[in-house]
Amino acid sequence: MADSQRNLTIADIARLAGVGVGTASRALNNAPGVSAATRQRVLAVADQHAYVISPDASGLAAGRTGRIGLVVPHIDRWFFGTMVGEIESVLRAAGLDVLLYDVGGLDDRREFFEQLPARKKVDAVVVVAFPVEEAERQRLTLLGVHIVAAGGQHAVYPHVCIDDYVAGRQAVDHLISLGHRSIGMIEAVDPEQPVRPSGRTAAYHRALADAGIAPDPDLVVTTNWGGINGAEAMARLLSLSHRPTAVYAHSDEVAAGAMRTIRRTGLRIPEDISIVGIDDHPMAELLDLTTVHQPVAEQGRAAAGLVLDLLRNDTPPADQAITLPTHLVVRRSTTSVPPTPDPS
Amino acid sequence: MADSQRNLTIADIARLAGVGVGTASRALNNAPGVSAATRQRVLAVADQHAYVISPDASGLAAGRTGRIGLVVPHIDRWFFGTMVGEIESVLRAAGLDVLLYDVGGLDDRREFFEQLPARKKVDAVVVVAFPVEEAERQRLTLLGVHIVAAGGQHAVYPHVCIDDYVAGRQAVDHLISLGHRSIGMIEAVDPEQPVRPSGRTAAYHRALADAGIAPDPDLVVTTNWGGINGAEAMARLLSLSHRPTAVYAHSDEVAAGAMRTIRRTGLRIPEDISIVGIDDHPMAELLDLTTVHQPVAEQGRAAAGLVLDLLRNDTPPADQAITLPTHLVVRRSTTSVPPTPDPS
DNA sequence: AACCGGAACGGAAGCGTTTCCATTTCCAAA
DNA sequence: TTTGGAAATGGAAACGCTTCCGTTCCGGTT
């Protein structure tokens, strides 16, 4: 362990390798203009002394940071965690570092963009699952930092997402195809996020209409995101005089909560009531919950790829948008409509 | 928007404020040696021009980075996600940035410490949930980066954790106090982590012994972490000729999997079989699962606090260790032992 | 043999801060 | 008033790298 001595600089490496600092820099950065032999020598010396370029100095001199900001609402939720993990993975493989910003609430987020901690700290920022206001975006652009969105809605900057409307249709159409005519919806909103028209909600209404089923306002309840809220929402649905034979939940977590209520009430799933969610959360498998699978990891990977592109060609690839497909996963929480027990 | 001009440097701010760069620097860094009036003036100018210090230049000159490395195995799991979110939150509040490294496997991890990407990139690293080899630790120390652990085992560096043995006892003792004598254990291991004696396992054996219950090797099954594996493990337990009346799972996820198997088998929880987990995963509430609550967020907060301490007093606070308490949360998955149905 | 273009290479000039050191300023004590 | 020292300042010297630019060194041309 001879490397306890003062930290080596690129100049030391250059000297040890018998080259100039310029050459050493080029060699270490895998830049052109160095003969293969020289490069080998420099790399060997560097390796031997466990030397690595100081990112700070490098960043200062080169004007790039080699860092990407990752802004995400609730890192403790499966969806975001998975997304982040995947993005980090491909970015790191590309030699970039990821600066994490867990910005939960609306205010936090505003403040984040306000202070622009990202300023001079990152080359680009990836925003997961929520829209960036136009003013914010322009500011970032002005500062020269690229911006990419993952798992959110359509936007004017490069982004990757799923089609919420299609996903919703896959869920609701499944229920309809099983013969259900009385379908409840548990609409989930995030109180911390700006309200926006949800494709998942539109899908419900449109699907019913297409099937010629008359809308019944009583059958749609709105609640906050999160399992426990789903449980409470389900209770409201069950208290209806004409309770639905099937329920469409905006997410698996909400569905899980609803399932608890159903089970506690003594009703059986799916015999007495069918339920379908969206996401294909790992928990769905354990719950035997029918759901619509959305490729979270793939979205993350695609978003990271977008960042890499942006950094490579400095030219913004014209508002690129990637929409990934979803698909229904049938498990044991849905079945055809039960024969009406009550003699009408 | 007049700030589209070339980026301002501290020299510009100094000039605009009518002071020297040294003074400007001190003012901006909230360092002593500047009169209140002068500081105000500098800050005002900086604010007015949306100026912020370049972290790269600052880091280069000052020798610190203002960044903390956060090394975590599986960011997509609730436990780690929560931990990370919490750590990030307090660190960011302290003006530090968090560099995220999602290092899943054993190899990835070794490679990570091997390449020491952290070198010169961070002032400290927080390692979540897995032990750092002594050699690795020494190397980091040599490089001058502090190290803190969260949610893992006891270690020689500052760390915060829970007492796995106690948590395990709380779970198993609960079962025993309900009258169970035939208690199965689903032991969960992470194939990607180094094996180590688990307090949760020791607790099981010791609790049975203390209660005078003869150990039965058939009743403990080992499986990989993750719900689906728990399901499979439970199947093994149920296939026993003398199946247990209660099951102790090392984690809620595993317990969730086990519950699915039990339910699919047609058995009722808790009438036919009781089950208890550990963690108090949000899912446990939706599953009505009795479990041992562990304060994840608090662990994260404490770990972040340790980092802050370390950075403040440059002197390592003598292998500080913080152990947080756990407690049993009784829900609907456990009940007293059913009267033996078979005439013996 | 003189010449030429290009690849390699060396080195100095920044990049935007912090910090040490030398000065100047300011005030209260003498 | 004079004066000693604390407080406030200004400025130059790093910090460790990238990059531009001028040289040197080749092999192939004419």
Side-chain angles (χ1 to χ4, degrees):
Chain A
M1 298 261 166
D3 55 319
S4 65
Q5 51 211 9
R6 190 129 317 298
N7 266 326
L8 296 160
T9 73
I10 202 174
D12 296 316
I13 297 301
R15 185 161 29 74
L16 289 169
V19 302
V21 292
T23 302
S25 172
R26 282 180 287 258
L28 291 168
N29 285 298
N30 205 32
V34 193
S35 70
T38 303
R39 171 160 324 197
Q40 282 311 317
R41 190 146 31 92
V42 174
L43 291 180
V45 172
D47 205 65
Q48 196 176 122
H49 295 263
Y51 165 86
V52 291
I53 281 178
S54 156
D56 281 316
S58 174
L60 217 210
R64 344 178 204 75
T65 68
R67 272 170 250 132
I68 307 294
L70 193 41
V71 187
V72 64
H74 305 279
I75 187 85
D76 58 332
R77 290 191 198 158
W78 164 76
F79 179 84
F80 300 117
T82 303
M83 193 77 96
V84 167
E86 207 62 30
I87 294 175
E88 191 274 345
S89 164
V90 357
L91 253 26
R92 183 146 62 89
L96 294 167
D97 282 312
V98 170
L99 235 33
L100 180 70
Y101 296 103
D102 185 356
V103 180
L106 218 48
D107 293 336
D108 286 356
R109 171 169 137 249
R110 196 178 306 278
E111 189 192 325
F112 174 83
F113 281 102
E114 197 78 28
Q115 302 195 176
L116 248 323
R119 185 167 191 168
K120 297 179 188 168
K121 287 189 177 178
V122 301
D123 297 331
V125 5
V126 178
V127 179
V128 180
F130 60 76
V132 175
E133 287 173 16
E134 184 54 19
E136 297 174 338
R137 191 188 67 75
Q138 292 195 355
R139 190 134 56 125
L140 285 196
T141 305
L142 223 54
L143 258 33
V145 340
H146 300 290
I147 181 167
V148 164
Q153 307 294 292
H154 277 282
V156 303
Y157 38 82
H159 65 278
V160 17
C161 61
I162 61 167
D163 188 322
D164 278 323
Y165 174 75
V166 170
R169 282 300 297 242
Q170 290 170 329
V172 180
D173 285 344
H174 169 61
L175 258 19
I176 291 176
S177 77
L178 286 173
H180 293 277
R181 307 281 296 176
S182 174
I183 301 173
M185 167 165 78
I186 301 180
E187 182 178 37
V189 301
D190 188 329
E192 296 288 4
Q193 300 297 316
V195 282
R196 56 192 186 202
S198 161
R200 300 189 187 186
T201 295
Y204 171 79
H205 294 300
R206 209 96 64 85
L208 293 201
D210 287 356
I213 300 173
D216 177 350
D218 286 349
L219 289 180
V220 1
V221 299
T222 301
T223 190
N224 286 344
W225 205 265
I228 215 57
N229 300 305
E232 180 272 334
M234 189 69 222
R236 270 186 279 158
L237 240 28
L238 289 185
S239 71
L240 255 33
S241 58
H242 51 295
R243 69 154 197 262
T245 61
V247 173
Y248 156 54
H250 272 203
S251 81
D252 289 348
E253 285 187 59
V254 168
M259 289 175 86
R260 187 182 79 167
T261 297
I262 295 172
R263 214 180 293 118
R264 280 192 180 180
T265 307
L267 261 26
R268 292 160 307 163
I269 299 171
E271 293 81 1
D272 298 315
I273 191 163
S274 287
I275 180 163
V276 59
I278 289 186
D279 278 349
D280 202 13
H281 187 294
M283 177 171 65
E285 182 179 14
L286 302 180
L287 252 26
D288 277 331
L289 173 66
T290 294
T291 188
V292 173
H293 173 87
Q294 76 159 304
V296 184
E298 285 75 2
Q299 289 179 73
R301 233 172 289 146
L306 246 27
V307 171
L308 261 23
D309 285 349
L310 238 32
L311 257 36
R312 231 185 310 273
N313 332 309
D314 210 352
T315 152
D319 302 345
Q320 203 166 111
I322 299 178
T323 300
L324 264 22
T326 56
H327 67 264
L328 185 73
V329 177
V330 178
R331 286 198 266 251
R332 308 188 182 193
S333 70
T334 48
T335 191
S336 48
V337 59
T340 77
D342 55 314
S344 62
Chain B
M1 298 271 160
D3 54 320
S4 64
Q5 51 211 11
R6 190 129 319 297
N7 266 326
L8 295 161
T9 74
I10 201 174
D12 297 315
I13 298 301
R15 184 161 30 72
L16 291 169
V19 301
V21 291
T23 301
S25 173
R26 281 180 288 258
L28 291 168
N29 286 298
N30 205 33
V34 194
S35 70
T38 304
R39 174 163 325 208
Q40 283 312 317
R41 190 147 32 94
V42 174
L43 290 180
V45 172
D47 205 65
Q48 193 177 123
H49 295 263
Y51 166 86
V52 292
I53 282 177
S54 156
D56 281 316
S58 175
L60 214 211
R64 346 179 203 73
T65 67
R67 272 170 251 132
I68 306 295
L70 193 40
V71 186
V72 64
H74 305 280
I75 187 82
D76 58 332
R77 291 191 198 159
W78 163 77
F79 179 85
F80 301 116
T82 304
M83 193 77 94
V84 167
E86 207 62 29
I87 294 176
E88 191 274 343
S89 163
V90 359
L91 254 25
R92 182 145 62 88
L96 294 167
D97 282 312
V98 171
L99 236 32
L100 180 71
Y101 296 103
D102 186 356
V103 180
L106 218 47
D107 293 337
D108 286 355
R109 173 170 136 247
R110 195 178 306 278
E111 189 192 323
F112 174 82
F113 281 102
E114 197 78 30
Q115 303 196 174
L116 247 322
R119 185 167 191 164
K120 297 179 188 170
K121 286 190 177 179
V122 300
D123 297 331
V125 6
V126 178
V127 179
V128 181
F130 60 75
V132 175
E133 287 173 15
E134 185 53 20
E136 296 174 338
R137 192 190 63 77
Q138 293 195 354
R139 189 135 55 127
L140 285 195
T141 305
L142 224 54
L143 259 34
V145 340
H146 299 289
I147 179 167
V148 165
Q153 308 294 290
H154 276 281
V156 302
Y157 38 81
H159 65 278
V160 18
C161 60
I162 61 167
D163 188 322
D164 277 326
Y165 174 75
V166 170
R169 282 299 296 241
Q170 290 171 328
V172 180
D173 285 344
H174 169 61
L175 259 18
I176 291 175
S177 76
L178 286 173
H180 294 278
R181 308 280 298 175
S182 174
I183 302 173
M185 168 166 77
I186 301 180
E187 182 178 36
V189 301
D190 188 329
E192 297 287 4
Q193 300 298 313
V195 281
R196 56 190 184 204
S198 161
R200 301 188 186 187
T201 295
Y204 171 78
H205 294 300
R206 209 93 67 81
L208 292 202
D210 286 356
I213 301 173
D216 177 349
D218 286 351
L219 289 181
V220 0
V221 299
T222 300
T223 188
N224 285 343
W225 204 266
I228 215 57
N229 300 305
E232 179 271 335
M234 188 67 224
R236 270 186 280 157
L237 241 27
L238 288 185
S239 69
L240 255 32
S241 57
H242 51 296
R243 70 155 197 261
T245 61
V247 173
Y248 157 54
H250 273 201
S251 80
D252 289 348
E253 285 187 60
V254 168
M259 289 175 85
R260 186 183 78 168
T261 298
I262 295 172
R263 212 180 293 117
R264 280 192 182 180
T265 308
L267 261 23
R268 292 159 307 162
I269 299 172
E271 293 80 1
D272 297 315
I273 192 163
S274 287
I275 181 162
V276 60
I278 288 187
D279 279 349
D280 202 14
H281 187 295
M283 177 170 66
E285 184 180 11
L286 301 181
L287 253 26
D288 277 331
L289 173 66
T290 293
T291 188
V292 174
H293 174 86
Q294 77 159 304
V296 184
E298 285 76 0
Q299 288 180 73
R301 235 171 288 145
L306 247 27
V307 170
L308 260 22
D309 286 348
L310 239 32
L311 257 35
R312 231 185 310 273
N313 331 310
D314 211 352
T315 153
D319 303 347
Q320 203 165 117
I322 299 179
T323 302
L324 263 23
T326 56
H327 67 265
L328 183 73
V329 177
V330 179
R331 285 198 264 252
R332 310 187 180 192
S333 71
T334 50
T335 192
S336 48
V337 59
T340 76
D342 56 314
S344 62

